[in-house]
Amino acid sequence: MQWYIPITIIPGVGLIIISTSSLLIALNIEISELNLKKEIFGEIIAMKIEQLKKLNWAMVFLYAGILFFLLSGLLAGLINPLSILVQVTMIGGVASSLIAIVYLISFGFRSVQIRQNHLRL
């Protein structure tokens, strides 16, 4: 594996971070607006806060993925690109990114259900 291969993955993960940040900001604004009528929307607010936690964990894993990809590229450039340390950090980046995507998929499915509950009120 060449040193630049893990580095080339970073822009893709960065795009996911940007879209996740936009979702996080929009959800924060929505929770703030619903909080003005918390006696009516208390249950919806609680569900949306759980969604906010999922987005936060997704962001944490995406950032960790970028860290692992950077370390993998750096280590591949400094030492033997086929060393176990390079491979482990690359696998760590992929695993971390996959966990983040699972959180985002879960967020997507759950957000539709929360929206349906919100519109029933």
Side-chain angles (χ1 to χ4, degrees):
M1 173 177 62
Q2 298 297 320
W3 67 269
Y4 54 83
I5 291 175
I7 305 297
T8 59
I9 299 170
I10 292 173
V13 177
L15 286 173
I16 297 171
I17 287 174
I18 290 170
S19 67
T20 304
S21 296
S22 298
L23 287 171
L24 198 113
I25 291 167
L27 188 57
N28 265 325
I29 291 170
E30 190 175 0
I31 290 170
S32 296
E33 290 171 358
L34 289 174
N35 199 33
L36 298 173
K37 298 179 183 178
K38 66 174 109 179
E39 61 280 345
I40 299 171
F41 299 113
E43 183 180 333
I44 298 297
I45 291 170
M47 287 189 277
K48 287 191 177 282
I49 289 174
E50 287 301 314
Q51 290 298 94
L52 195 63
K53 289 178 186 176
K54 283 183 184 176
L55 283 178
N56 188 45
W57 277 109
M59 293 288 283
V60 167
F61 282 108
L62 287 169
Y63 288 137
I66 285 181
L67 175 68
F68 283 123
F69 289 134
L70 283 172
L71 285 174
S72 180
L74 182 66
L75 290 171
L78 295 176
I79 61 176
N80 180 8
L82 299 176
S83 76
I84 191 73
L85 189 56
V86 172
Q87 292 176 5
V88 166
T89 54
M90 183 67 171
I91 290 170
V94 170
S96 186
S97 298
L98 285 175
I99 292 169
I101 290 170
V102 167
Y103 271 108
L104 291 173
I105 290 171
S106 171
F107 168 83
F109 281 123
R110 184 79 173 117
S111 64
V112 171
Q113 184 181 18
I114 291 171
R115 178 63 63 196
Q116 288 174 337
N117 289 343
H118 185 188
L119 295 175
R120 284 189 204 135
L121 290 177

